[in-house]
Amino acid sequence: MSKFFFYCTLVLYGGATLAYLIYLLRTTPLLATWAHRLISAGFIAHLLSTIHRAVLTGQLPLTSMHESLSFFSLAIVGAFIFFERSYRVAILGSFVTPLALLAIIASSALPDEIRHISPILRSNWFWGHALMAFISYAAFTITFATSAMYLLQEHFLKRKRFGALFRKLPSLEIMDDISYRCLTIGFPLLTLAIISGAIWSVQAGGNYWNWADRKQVWSMITWFIYAALLHGRLTTGWRGRRAALLSILGFIVLLITFFGMRHSVTW
């Protein structure tokens, strides 16, 4: 059953992404409505697939790259739906849904065997760490998308190119506000994820921190970038272009951490 819903999700996310990309070129409210229906249906199917797999295994489906990518995609879409409905910005889907689709396509290409982690690693700290990390990643994905949209809109304004895409993009203030809200959600969760991960690391390996663990080190680098961004916004009023560029840098480092680094502890 989980596979059936998983492949339904692939189809629905693919259709929604196509609709959102066409929406970049054609301004039709009906297209935006259908894109939203498709992504919402895909999210429900994805949620059912994830829940079924969790019930089947008795654990959160976060123990392999297949499951992690699928969950990352689910979290991105959930965050997108929330902010799209909150701010009424359908165009955000043109920048976010391709990322969610790529994540689930990559997930579908990986072995989907069910893995059970070692008993010594069975800990609520691990599950809390993983869950908060993925939700923070999803929030930072929205920050990345709105930052890219911000730079694009700013480019149009500077060049005085007030075409169709310029009119579809929200104002710079709205994009900056969405980006900031996501940052205020993602950063505390990432902080808690690192703390809970360190506690879990004690249980698993006897140390809070292992400098030889590249995943831990790069997670801390990611944390410092977003900490600098939040600190700059709160104390020196960083907004606009500078905040957008730092958000994009933070997301690139986040992707390197997620895809390129591995924990020294394996399970």
Side-chain angles (χ1 to χ4, degrees):
M1 187 64 75
S2 59
K3 281 190 178 181
F4 170 75
F5 284 123
F6 182 85
Y7 288 112
C8 285
T9 303
L10 263 174
V11 173
L12 290 165
Y13 281 2
T17 300
L18 181 62
Y20 277 118
L21 291 177
I22 294 173
Y23 184 71
L24 273 175
L25 307 173
R26 300 186 62 179
T27 306
T28 55
L30 186 61
L31 188 61
T33 301
W34 274 104
H36 177 75
R37 287 173 180 170
L38 285 170
I39 200 70
S40 298
F43 179 73
I44 293 170
H46 204 169
L47 199 58
L48 290 173
S49 169
T50 304
I51 291 172
H52 185 262
R53 191 173 176 99
V55 171
L56 201 64
T57 60
Q59 61 191 26
L60 282 175
L62 294 169
T63 60
S64 67
M65 187 54 87
H66 165 78
E67 292 178 344
S68 296
L69 281 168
S70 175
F71 197 86
F72 185 27
S73 176
L74 176 71
I76 291 172
V77 173
F80 161 68
I81 290 173
F82 173 78
F83 282 101
E84 185 199 31
R85 303 317 293 174
S86 298
Y87 285 85
R88 303 289 176 186
V89 282
I91 193 72
L92 182 61
S94 306
F95 293 80
V96 174
T97 57
L99 298 174
L101 179 63
L102 284 175
I104 198 167
I105 288 175
S107 170
S108 70
L110 294 170
D112 64 350
E113 77 275 9
I114 293 174
R115 295 175 55 188
H116 295 278
I117 62 173
S118 165
I120 197 172
L121 298 177
R122 285 187 173 276
S123 162
N124 289 334
W125 291 109
F126 169 76
W127 301 119
H129 157 73
L131 197 59
M132 287 186 285
F134 278 109
I135 297 174
S136 71
Y137 286 5
F140 292 139
T141 302
I142 303 297
T143 300
F144 165 75
T146 52
S147 296
M149 291 164 62
Y150 183 98
L151 294 177
L152 190 60
Q153 185 73 309
E154 187 192 53
H155 170 79
F156 289 144
L157 285 168
K158 284 184 176 177
R159 299 290 186 279
K160 298 187 185 307
R161 292 178 180 173
F162 306 127
L165 183 54
F166 169 82
R167 290 192 293 274
K168 284 181 192 173
L169 289 169
S171 68
L172 295 179
E173 290 73 20
I174 289 177
M175 287 185 281
D176 194 60
D177 187 53
I178 297 174
S179 181
Y180 178 64
R181 280 192 66 188
C182 290
L183 179 64
T184 58
I185 294 170
F187 181 74
L189 287 173
L190 180 63
T191 304
L192 291 172
I194 290 175
I195 293 171
S196 55
I199 296 172
W200 167 63
S201 181
V202 172
Q203 298 178 344
N207 297 311
Y208 280 107
W209 194 264
N210 181 2
W211 288 105
D213 189 320
R214 293 189 297 170
K215 191 86 166 182
Q216 281 189 319
V217 173
W218 276 82
S219 295
M220 189 54 71
I221 294 171
T222 307
W223 184 88
F224 272 117
I225 292 173
Y226 285 113
L229 176 58
L230 186 59
H231 180 266
R233 296 195 68 130
L234 292 175
T235 59
T236 59
W238 279 8
R239 296 174 65 88
R241 183 179 182 79
R242 184 183 294 179
L245 289 173
L246 198 53
S247 296
I248 291 172
L249 173 65
F251 187 68
I252 292 170
V253 174
L254 184 154
L255 291 180
I256 292 172
T257 305
F258 181 45
F259 290 105
M261 302 300 152
R262 292 286 178 272
H263 277 298
S264 59
V265 176
T266 57
W267 56 92

